[in-house]
Amino acid sequence: MSGDDQAENKEEEDKSGAVKFGWVKGVLVRCMLNIWGVMLFIRLSWIVGEAGIGLGVIIIGLAVTVTAITGLSTSAIATNGYVRGGLGVLIILLSTMVTSITGLSTAAIATNGFVRGGLGVIIIGLSVVVTTLTGISMSAICTNGVVRGGGAYYLISRSLGPEFGGSIGLIFAFANAVAVAMYVVGFAETVVDLLKESDSMMVDPTNDIRIIGSITVVILLGISVAGMEWEAKAQVILLVILLIAIANFFIGTVIPSNNEKRSRGFFNYQASIFAENFGPSFTKGEGFFSVFAIFFPAATGILAGANISGDLEDPQDAIPRGTMLAIFITTVAYIGVAICVGACVVRDATGNVNDTIISGMNCNGSAACGLGYDFSRCRHEPCQYGLMNNFQVMSMVSGFGPLITAGIFSATLSSALASLVSAPKVFQALCKDNIYKALQFFAKGYGKNNEPLRGYILTFVIAMAFILIAELNTIAPIISNFFLASYALINFSCFHASYAKSPGWRPAYRIYNMWVSLFGAVLCCAVMFVINWWAAVITYVIEFFLYIYVTYKKPDVNWGSSTQALSYVSALDNALELTTVEDHVKNFRPQCIVLTGGPMTRPALLDISHAFTKNSGLCICCEVFVGPRKLCVKEMNSGMAKKQAWLIKNKIKAFYAAVAADCFRDGVRSLLQASGLGRMKPNTLVIGYKRNWRKAPLAEIENYVGIIHDAFDFEIGVVIVRISQGFDISQVLQVQDELEKLEQERLALEATIKDNDSEEGSGGIRGLFKKAGKLNITKTPSKKDSSINTIQSMHVGEFNQKLVEASTQFKKKQGKGTIDVWWLFDDGGLTLLIPYILTLRKKWKDCKLRIYVGGKVNRIEEEKIAMASLLSKFRIKFADIHIIGDINIKPNKESWKVFEEMIEQYRLHESCKDVTTAEKLKRETPWKITDAELEAVKEKSYRQVRLNELLQEHSRAANLIVLSLPVARKGSISDWLYMAWLEILTKNLPPVLLVRGNHKNVLTFYS
């Protein structure tokens, strides 16, 4: 468990007196209220009229299935541990989606709504499918671990990562805020209609809606700010009203109809009406999907309970149980109302009690005609009553009409209240994660329930603004699609978590299937386009823009998302698949082990290595910890994450690896053998030149040269890099650290003195000494303090300015210049390939390749032409080719004298001593250079000295020299002599890369 998680756990445990709800009051009640929207009272009869009883039930079923699968997926995710505050936000987001569309429908219906009939049951069934699928996914997600504040944002971000979660969280927090306005406007329009009937208008319809809406949203804000307990009580009261209204309708269907109701198409239960209304009868411009688009919002709202998961006693149990039971109950109610209204009311009616049948009239199968009424003129002229025309059918059928109006009020106000609670909670969770840094102000919570009061005010302002606009029909489809996109991502989250096969995906809720969740996600996306194609496009564009923004900002979070798990699985699969493919010369790339130690201590060595491995090959920064294993392992483990983080922070595409060993060579040998994975194994060892070889202990020199031999033994190429100032800047880093500590102590002391400036008398002085004591400031500085004070007197730039500059030389863009390649041995082409790759990099692209090769004096032009032809076949661009004909002549005396002085202290000089003494010296100092050895390799020594002369002559001004590395035969060349070769070869030159491949071809002529 991370530190942040522990802190949040402790914070939640410390809360006392917080309101906690059971599964009935916390989930079931809220979900039922949000699923039973105004659609139930106003649009459902029209759905049945257009689509008929059969298709109407299917539409309900499809809608509910999608939401139910999402709910089940959420439950599965939440049951992987225990659930705390915030999953509810997700649920409220989804429920708000439904209610948003409901609000749109309410507004439209209040102005010009009318009811028709047809495939009603199928349409209801289709909606049930959607909500059911969503419910399943939601249940899975909710039961897969601790769920805190944030709802849909929290679930999606923790499952798919901050990119998806951050984009969906912002637009859905906004959608919930606008949804408050839509529901309140729907409520206000219904009230204004009642005022019209009683001729009690205050100003005019538009301004009356604004006035009533403003007053309503203020009251709802007061309920929300008062706390979750008051909000829960209000929801219970609204549910009671809603249940009474629904019961009122069913009672009305069995109360004998009177003449007035018959004239309006209500005949109680009649088999002939049921048969007539069973099939579809779409009017002009309507079809299955258009009817489904209008009904679907009625099936949503399944996330209202999960929205307050932090306020539930047992979220793991409450969310799946309450959500799925709410889906079942509301589905039964929807289907029941659809069947009842379809069996009682005809599609068209005139409302004229005198439109009865005439004796001998042919009914042509009309149900109304068979029951004594003639509504045939509705075929030629518009009528005001019946399922197809009257959106107040449920009020007419009910036992007491005003109760249906009360139900409409309850549905709109409960949806508005749910959105007013969910928007601030989603927004607060988003701000807490600091995905959008500018919104951090809204992260603060208040009270025992951590209420987002600032978010409430912001939501109130947004809602008021849209209420005053009072034109919501245009934006409503976009808001509805925002919520539906949340459904899609919840389903996809459940699928993605399952598909990634992460061991951490262990939802306690088992009734879900990854492919069913995927089907739910696809179905949600399809429904978005069915509802409104341009709104769906706008939704995707906004989400894509926010996704790109969050991706670009790269928030510093790690939530163990399924995206990470799938990336691992994909990488593993690709690595395994790669092992089945044989290596080919065309695909060769340098894959390097770079012996940097800590990567920050030798940045120049890492930079030059990264220059020819970035985006093309493997780069592993390696460190060997030498000493007692227990201490080394502890030190190694404590720094692994920090050093890898340094690489990431500095945008270096490399891995960090470390080993603990008894000696340096053993550690490197282990790295050479065990590093890499499958085909992604190192083929090149990069090490820095050992500048202090003359002062180094014998064991260090043996290890250094032995590492080179080991690399060749393992068929790994070697690159030795030398720069004039060396690579190790650990002393500079130490000075910087000490200065930073001193600066912190100075600032702390100044702050202490400042705090005590206002104090008077001895009390102030005593306080100063007391606080100074806490800062470990004493009269007598310790030995450590003395050393720090010495360092403090030196500016870090004065400490070793040249070393600091040298450490960054490969980070800078190299100006126009040359990379001189001295290709003196055929090592397979690595000496040519590395400089060629360098010229492809942005920092080195202005440097031209100059190729130097050895040749015969009398065949310089021929060999130059041959080399140019060879390089052309290799497709390596070059600026010039130089054939060096005098490469094997003796060096001048001055140069040779320098070399002799260099090796003098390491020579045995056995020829000047008697045999006994010489033998004794050989046994005591076997590492020294013998006269016999020196004579045997004299020509090779001449060659190294001569090469330095040529390098001084031709390449002194080059940006970089790439030179074939001389190889010492193991057992034939002493370590000190070999180091002397490397020293004299690279002395007083620009940066040098000594390269030797493993004699495997890395270049090819063929395409």
Side-chain angles (χ1 to χ4, degrees), residues 22 35 104 137 153 163 207 257 294 336 495 516 796 821 952 972 994:
I35 295 173
L104 168 63
S137 297
Y153 159 70
E163 295 82 8
N207 285 314
S257 179
I294 292 172
F495 161 76
V516 173
V796 68
V821 182
Q952 297 283 353
S972 300
L994 294 166

Side-chain angles (χ1 to χ4, degrees), residues 3 95 239 241 270 277 289 350 383 398 421-422 483 547 629 686 724 743 779 811 818 874 879 954:
S95 80
L239 178 62
I241 296 173
Q270 301 292 335
N277 288 341
F289 288 108
T350 61
C383 293
S398 66
V421 170
S422 69
F483 292 123
Y547 178 89
R629 183 170 298 274
V686 181
S724 58
E743 181 65 15
K779 293 181 179 179
K811 293 182 184 294
T818 63
F874 284 145
H954 296 280

